[in-house]
Amino acid sequence: MSATKEQIVAFMAAEFPQTKCVVESVDDKGAVLSHDIGIDELRPGGTVSGPVLMSVADVAIYVAILGRIGIGPLTVTTSLTINFLRKPSSEARIIAECTLIKVGRTLIVGEVSLYSEGSSDMVAHVVGTYSVPPKRI
Amino acid sequence: MSATKEQIVAFMAAEFPQTKCVVESVDDKGAVLSHDIGIDELRPGGTVSGPVLMSVADVAIYVAILGRIGIGPLTVTTSLTINFLRKPSSEARIIAECTLIKVGRTLIVGEVSLYSEGSSDMVAHVVGTYSVPPKRI
Amino acid sequence: MSATKEQIVAFMAAEFPQTKCVVESVDDKGAVLSHDIGIDELRPGGTVSGPVLMSVADVAIYVAILGRIGIGPLTVTTSLTINFLRKPSSEARIIAECTLIKVGRTLIVGEVSLYSEGSSDMVAHVVGTYSVPPKRI
Amino acid sequence: MSATKEQIVAFMAAEFPQTKCVVESVDDKGAVLSHDIGIDELRPGGTVSGPVLMSVADVAIYVAILGRIGIGPLTVTTSLTINFLRKPSSEARIIAECTLIKVGRTLIVGEVSLYSEGSSDMVAHVVGTYSVPPKRI
């Protein structure tokens, strides 16, 4: 019932054409995404915008869920908690590593560690919960 | 030490020209902001994008803090928890009502209720914490 | 389908005899609870223990849910976020005011403001989500 | 400036004699704690009480902080987010594995994975933030 990386990339391109997230890898345990950082993602002072980090984490969990339960069900985010830990680099891509920590019948929980590419210091940490619609198609 | 709505609007226009948030009111207890919803804020299916809601809430707390402690200190978001409650209207502005629930020396906490304009049903709820730099300018 | 205060008090006494929470009021919008503070609830330095505050908030949301959807369904806490805002008094009861901000078919979200009795300064703020089992009895 | 496991165990026994948490290991990156489960920790139905899980996670982060910055400073919890993932066993100890993900000058963030001993399925996940007083002793 899970989806392959190729299926997910095609689905995301069709349904969420506006996202700049790139799926680096995905399996039934989690996903790794990257996101370029440019003028659109930066705030005065060279800080990566907080909403960009939240958005990348949100998409990372969404992709990991597709990798686990397949493309049919349209899960929706029900809650998201982000802790901002360090100032990300303004010159490196953001890397989001998502692990699914619960895959229930109605609720899925994912955890995401966000990094500036090339650094092992986490810049932000996210926990997100997603609701699975009662009847899967 | 607090700032007026006019000072804050001028500051936001200069420092965060990319935000589409409009400051409706602000005092030392909180702030009300609005944000237009158009093609950029919508996802397939007519849903207002989650990161847009997070972003409006984040700016609402930031503005409320300016209203309370003035424009000097550059506070930064340290954490944010959002609960998505209902699907917002695709045709109404988003209204964010922020109340500061703690204003400490190093940490400020704000709570935000988000609505689709014209409805009293909360579409999302946010709690955000902001760090105040040790030495205020 | 909702339950009265008397029904809820009887239910709590039977099912959760260990809780020291007192139901002050409850209707279909929310609930107010109180909790005595004594030697068991204090830490060295006269601080009310954090887990006591979390526990009171958790029970307050649970009671509010009973007031709304009735005693049948056994909801379970799925997530809880607490922000500690001020040191509570060591000599006043804790008052928890819960408002339900979403009552969905599978997910219920409540918000709780915690006070030391007699003070209007919030000592802690909680948002909790509860899962409603698919088939209500 | 860090503290050894022995120093921390002695400090906890003196300052928090009521806690039933056992420090299994601690270094400057994190800590592992355990907590017996008995009649006091269980709710009707054999569920481990949510506040017990929150409390163990809270202590685990506190101990990890002592292991990193030493025993002097009295850090206080400023926020805690818990996601309940699975029903813990009523017959196994709770194991809490804490990793510090940010150690700043004024704010420390820890992440905790909670398990029933002998199982690799996470029963709950916690992120907690702690405030460090401005002047360390």
Side-chain angles (χ1 to χ4, degrees):
Chain A
M1 204 168 160
S2 59
T4 65
K5 180 183 162 185
E6 288 65 35
Q7 290 171 322
I8 293 169
V9 168
F11 173 77
M12 296 299 289
E15 296 295 322
F16 299 98
Q18 77 280 21
T19 184
K20 293 202 243 168
C21 288
V22 174
V23 180
E24 300 288 339
S25 67
V26 53
D27 59 26
D28 65 349
K29 300 253 190 335
V32 178
L33 273 70
S34 65
H35 193 289
D36 278 344
I37 297 302
I39 191 76
D40 288 350
E41 287 77 27
L42 295 174
R43 287 217 174 143
T47 306
V48 175
S49 146
V52 167
L53 296 177
M54 298 184 222
S55 176
V56 177
D58 192 31
V59 176
I61 303 176
Y62 190 79
V63 165
I65 292 172
L66 295 176
R68 176 64 166 266
I69 68 172
I71 280 170
L74 293 174
T75 57
V76 292
T77 314
T78 55
S79 72
L80 189 147
T81 294
I82 185 164
N83 277 272
F84 298 97
L85 306 174
R86 287 172 193 83
K87 188 178 168 177
S89 166
S90 61
E91 297 176 359
R93 294 194 302 166
I94 289 293
I95 305 295
E97 299 181 358
C98 170
T99 304
L100 299 179
I101 58 177
K102 174 186 170 137
V103 182
R105 202 162 40 80
T106 59
L107 214 56
I108 297 180
V109 185
E111 180 193 347
V112 186
S113 301
L114 294 153
Y115 301 90
S116 288
E117 189 169 30
S119 165
S120 61
D121 288 332
M122 210 186 290
V123 297
H125 178 272
V126 170
V127 181
T129 60
Y130 289 69
S131 177
V132 185
K135 290 177 188 174
R136 296 187 187 175
I137 297 153
Chain B
M1 202 167 162
S2 59
T4 65
K5 180 183 162 184
E6 288 65 36
Q7 289 171 322
I8 292 169
V9 168
F11 173 78
M12 294 300 288
E15 297 294 323
F16 299 96
Q18 78 279 22
T19 184
K20 293 203 246 169
C21 289
V22 175
V23 180
E24 300 288 339
S25 66
V26 53
D27 60 26
D28 64 349
K29 299 254 192 334
V32 178
L33 273 69
S34 65
H35 193 289
D36 278 346
I37 297 302
I39 190 77
D40 288 349
E41 286 76 28
L42 295 174
R43 287 215 174 145
T47 306
V48 175
S49 147
V52 166
L53 296 177
M54 298 184 221
S55 177
V56 177
D58 191 32
V59 176
I61 304 178
Y62 189 80
V63 164
I65 293 172
L66 295 175
R68 177 64 166 268
I69 69 173
I71 281 170
L74 294 173
T75 57
V76 293
T77 314
T78 55
S79 71
L80 190 146
T81 294
I82 185 163
N83 277 273
F84 298 98
L85 306 174
R86 288 173 192 82
K87 188 177 168 177
S89 166
S90 62
E91 296 175 1
R93 293 193 304 166
I94 289 293
I95 305 294
E97 299 181 358
C98 170
T99 305
L100 298 178
I101 57 176
K102 172 185 171 138
V103 182
R105 203 164 38 80
T106 60
L107 215 56
I108 297 179
V109 185
E111 182 193 346
V112 186
S113 301
L114 294 155
Y115 302 90
S116 287
E117 190 170 30
S119 164
S120 63
D121 287 332
M122 210 185 291
V123 297
H125 179 272
V126 169
V127 182
T129 60
Y130 288 70
S131 177
V132 185
K135 290 177 187 174
R136 297 186 186 173
I137 297 153
Chain C
M1 203 167 160
S2 59
T4 65
K5 180 183 161 183
E6 288 65 35
Q7 290 170 322
I8 292 169
V9 168
F11 173 77
M12 295 299 290
E15 297 294 323
F16 299 96
Q18 78 281 21
T19 184
K20 293 202 244 168
C21 288
V22 175
V23 180
E24 300 288 339
S25 66
V26 53
D27 59 26
D28 65 349
K29 299 255 189 336
V32 178
L33 274 69
S34 66
H35 192 289
D36 277 345
I37 298 301
I39 190 76
D40 288 349
E41 287 77 26
L42 295 174
R43 287 218 174 141
T47 306
V48 175
S49 147
V52 166
L53 296 176
M54 298 184 222
S55 176
V56 177
D58 192 32
V59 176
I61 304 177
Y62 189 79
V63 164
I65 292 172
L66 295 175
R68 176 64 167 266
I69 68 173
I71 280 170
L74 293 173
T75 57
V76 292
T77 314
T78 55
S79 72
L80 190 147
T81 295
I82 185 164
N83 277 272
F84 298 98
L85 306 174
R86 288 172 194 81
K87 188 178 167 175
S89 166
S90 61
E91 297 175 1
R93 293 194 303 166
I94 289 292
I95 305 295
E97 299 181 358
C98 170
T99 304
L100 298 179
I101 57 178
K102 172 183 171 140
V103 182
R105 202 163 39 80
T106 59
L107 215 56
I108 298 179
V109 184
E111 181 192 347
V112 186
S113 301
L114 295 154
Y115 301 90
S116 288
E117 190 169 30
S119 164
S120 62
D121 288 331
M122 210 186 291
V123 297
H125 178 272
V126 170
V127 181
T129 60
Y130 289 70
S131 177
V132 185
K135 289 176 188 174
R136 297 187 186 173
I137 298 153
Chain D
M1 202 167 162
S2 59
T4 65
K5 180 182 163 185
E6 288 66 33
Q7 290 171 324
I8 292 168
V9 168
F11 174 78
M12 295 299 289
E15 296 295 322
F16 299 98
Q18 78 279 23
T19 184
K20 293 204 245 168
C21 289
V22 174
V23 180
E24 301 288 339
S25 66
V26 53
D27 59 26
D28 64 350
K29 301 255 191 333
V32 178
L33 272 69
S34 65
H35 193 289
D36 278 345
I37 297 302
I39 191 77
D40 288 350
E41 286 77 26
L42 295 174
R43 288 217 173 143
T47 305
V48 175
S49 145
V52 166
L53 296 177
M54 298 184 221
S55 177
V56 177
D58 192 31
V59 176
I61 304 177
Y62 189 79
V63 164
I65 293 172
L66 295 176
R68 177 63 166 267
I69 68 172
I71 281 170
L74 293 173
T75 57
V76 294
T77 314
T78 55
S79 72
L80 190 145
T81 294
I82 185 162
N83 277 273
F84 297 97
L85 306 174
R86 289 172 191 83
K87 188 177 168 178
S89 165
S90 62
E91 297 175 1
R93 294 192 304 165
I94 289 293
I95 305 294
E97 299 181 357
C98 169
T99 304
L100 298 178
I101 58 177
K102 173 186 170 136
V103 182
R105 201 163 40 79
T106 60
L107 215 57
I108 298 179
V109 184
E111 182 193 345
V112 186
S113 301
L114 294 154
Y115 301 90
S116 288
E117 190 170 31
S119 164
S120 62
D121 287 332
M122 211 185 290
V123 297
H125 179 272
V126 170
V127 181
T129 60
Y130 289 70
S131 177
V132 185
K135 289 177 188 174
R136 297 188 188 173
I137 298 153

